[in-house]
């Protein structure tokens, strides 16, 4: 049914082009086709593919068919209007739309890998732009090959310059370590680790060691940097839900050649939960259990007193 719908869309556009060619002079056909693309076809696709739109369909396979149909329609239009190709190549909305289609048609595992690949790059950008003022976390970490897998050894040392999270100007801090992308087939069985709570803006965590065996072949992954270790710092609240302070995401491959004594110090940031790719994840969470678990956990990672980077539309982020 999906393939039939995509085929019908192609034929509708084809009949429309033939009608234009019969009704207007040849010299005006390219301009009419360009107007058809700019005013009808592209806006229609953009509206339908907006992750926040109620018209968004919940079937990934459908979007694969839409992607194929879009490429066929573009090829058809370009065949009848050569100057349209340059116009299409310079159209940033189309480039973003192709990214959205890829996200909506990907498997849940592929989508989670894509998300963390982009989130790591986003955190690096926030640090460069000065948005990382939530303190730092220091630790040692080593990834050692062992048989067909690897063993990760982590020791959480301390946090520094954490923000004041309660009325008395302190922070009941603890650190939670998780290997992501969580809820994918390769990593779903790995357990998280949590330190003890220390009441201090510069807490130290003596003798907090985390060891995890990972059966994963990095060379087989299309996005190896997306496999990362998350340090999530929280303020424990004894009378309600814990408050999120900040997080640091570090690709595991950075720990491959680390010495046991090397100390890593990373700034803490607050993730952007309003970007387009995360909107796609939230839309997919409606009908996918693993993604739903991830989104429920991720939604808690907001902070009312955290600085926000400039808001971006779903087109600008993808």
């Amino acid at each position: 049914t999906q393939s039939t719908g995509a085929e019908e869309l192609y034929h509708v556009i084809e009949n429309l082009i033939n009608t234009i060619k019969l009704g207007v002079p040849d010299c005006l056909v390219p301009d009419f086709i360009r107007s058809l693309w700019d005013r009808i076809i592209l806006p229609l696709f953009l509206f339908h593919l907006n992750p926040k739109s109620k018209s968004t369909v919940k079937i990934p396979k459908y979007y694969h068919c839409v992607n194929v149909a879009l490429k066929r329609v573009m090829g058809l239009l370009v065949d009848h209007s050569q100057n349209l190709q340059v116009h299409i190549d310079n159209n940033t909305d189309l480039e973003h739309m192709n990214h959205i289609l890829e996200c909506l048609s990907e498997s849940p595992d592929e989508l989670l890998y894509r998300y963390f690949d982009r989130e790591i790059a986003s955190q690096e950008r926030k640090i460069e732009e000065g948005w990382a003022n939530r303190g730092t976390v220091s630790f040692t970490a080593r990834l050692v090959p062992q048989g067909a897998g690897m063993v990760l050894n982590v020791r959480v040392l301390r946090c520094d310059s954490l923000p004041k999270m309660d009325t008395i100007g302190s922070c009941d801090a603890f650190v939670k370590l998780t290997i992501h992308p969580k809820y994918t087939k390769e990593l779903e069985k790995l357990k998280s680790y949590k330190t003890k709570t220390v009441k201090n803006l510069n807490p130290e965590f003596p003798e907090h060691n985390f060891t995890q065996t990972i059966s994963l072949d990095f060379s087989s992954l299309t996005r190896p940097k997306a496999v990362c270790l998350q340090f999530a710092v929280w303020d424990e609240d004894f009378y309600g839900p814990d408050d999120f302070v900040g997080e640091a995401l570090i690709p595991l491959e950075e720990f491959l050649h680390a010495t046991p004594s090397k100390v890593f110090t990373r700034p803490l940031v607050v993730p952007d939960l309003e970007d387009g790719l995360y909107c796609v994840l939230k839309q997919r969470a409606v009908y996918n259990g693993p993604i739903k678990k991830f989104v429920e956990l991720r939604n808690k990672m907001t902070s009312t007193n955290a600085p926000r980077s400039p808001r971006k539309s779903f087109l600008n982020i993808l």
Side-chain angles (χ1 to χ4, degrees):
T1 302
Q2 297 158 7
S3 299
T4 303
E7 192 70 24
E8 288 179 354
L9 173 63
Y10 177 82
H11 289 304
V12 167
I13 301 299
E14 187 177 39
N15 292 335
L16 187 55
I17 291 176
N18 290 333
T19 302
I20 291 174
K21 293 178 69 176
L22 291 174
V24 302
D26 291 344
C27 61
L28 296 179
V29 169
D31 292 333
F32 268 81
I33 290 178
R34 177 167 172 170
S35 296
L36 175 66
W37 168 260
D38 286 338
R39 299 184 181 183
I40 299 177
I41 297 176
L42 184 57
L44 183 63
F45 272 102
L46 287 173
F47 173 78
H48 180 64
L49 293 175
N50 185 338
K52 297 180 181 179
S53 171
K54 293 181 180 180
S55 67
T56 305
V57 183
K58 300 176 180 179
I59 306 173
K61 188 176 179 181
Y62 170 81
Y63 290 105
H64 173 73
C65 296
V66 171
N67 201 5
V68 173
L70 177 63
K71 288 179 171 56
R72 289 191 64 191
V73 168
M74 284 193 298
L76 178 65
L77 294 175
V78 169
D79 288 342
H80 294 278
S81 177
Q82 295 181 356
N83 65 347
L84 183 64
Q85 183 64 61
V86 177
H87 180 62
I88 288 177
D89 290 341
N90 295 328
N91 192 312
T92 55
D93 282 352
L94 177 61
E95 182 181 352
H96 299 320
M97 187 169 65
N98 284 329
H99 282 295
I100 296 171
L101 276 169
E102 289 176 9
C103 293
L104 289 171
S105 59
E106 282 182 330
S107 70
D109 283 12
E110 290 171 337
L111 190 57
L112 286 170
Y113 274 102
R114 177 192 285 268
Y115 174 77
F116 276 98
D117 192 42
R118 294 184 64 86
E119 192 65 16
I120 289 170
S122 174
Q123 288 200 5
E124 292 175 352
R125 185 169 59 252
K126 288 178 182 178
I127 294 171
E128 292 177 357
E129 295 175 355
W131 287 97
N133 57 355
R134 306 292 293 169
T136 61
V137 58
S138 297
F139 58 93
T140 64
R142 230 184 142 201
L143 191 62
V144 182
Q146 187 177 85
M150 296 186 178
V151 176
L152 176 65
N153 295 299
V154 183
R155 183 183 178 191
V156 183
L157 301 177
R158 63 183 179 275
C159 292
D160 293 296
S161 303
L162 297 181
K164 299 175 182 178
M165 299 297 293
D166 53 36
T167 54
I168 62 173
S170 186
C171 180
D172 300 307
F174 68 88
V175 183
K176 187 174 182 180
L177 283 69
T178 306
I179 296 176
H180 282 294
K182 186 72 171 172
Y183 307 115
T184 57
K185 293 178 181 179
E186 297 91 347
L187 304 174
E188 62 182 352
K189 294 182 180 180
L190 300 184
K191 296 181 179 180
S192 298
Y193 171 80
K194 176 184 172 182
T195 69
K196 292 182 179 179
T197 300
V198 179
K199 190 178 187 66
N200 202 309
L201 296 180
N202 301 286
E204 295 185 358
F205 305 97
E207 304 302 326
H208 278 283
N209 300 314
F210 169 72
T211 301
Q212 187 71 262
T213 301
I214 307 170
S215 300
L216 189 64
D217 181 11
F218 283 85
S219 62
S220 64
L221 299 175
T222 54
R223 303 177 188 273
K225 289 187 176 180
V227 182
C228 59
L229 180 61
Q230 177 198 51
F231 292 83
V233 181
W234 296 81
D235 171 50
E236 186 172 13
D237 193 330
F238 299 97
Y239 302 102
D242 298 330
D243 297 318
F244 180 67
V245 178
E247 71 170 0
L249 298 174
I250 304 97
L252 287 189
E253 61 182 20
E254 290 192 19
F255 308 139
L256 268 173
H257 305 291
T259 60
S261 60
K262 181 177 180 179
V263 176
F264 296 84
T265 299
R266 293 300 171 94
L268 301 171
V269 302
V270 175
D272 183 1
L273 302 184
E274 298 175 352
D275 67 46
L277 186 50
Y278 191 71
C279 287
V280 173
L281 278 168
K282 289 192 290 186
Q283 191 268 329
R284 294 282 290 273
V286 175
Y287 58 95
N288 183 273
I291 291 184
K292 181 179 180 180
K293 291 180 182 178
F294 170 73
V295 168
E296 287 175 348
L297 176 64
R298 200 71 173 158
N299 282 343
K300 298 176 182 178
M301 295 186 174
T302 59
S303 183
T304 55
N305 61 344
R308 298 288 182 182
S309 55
R311 183 174 296 183
K312 301 176 182 178
S313 71
F314 79 99
L315 287 179
N316 291 335
I317 195 68
L318 295 174

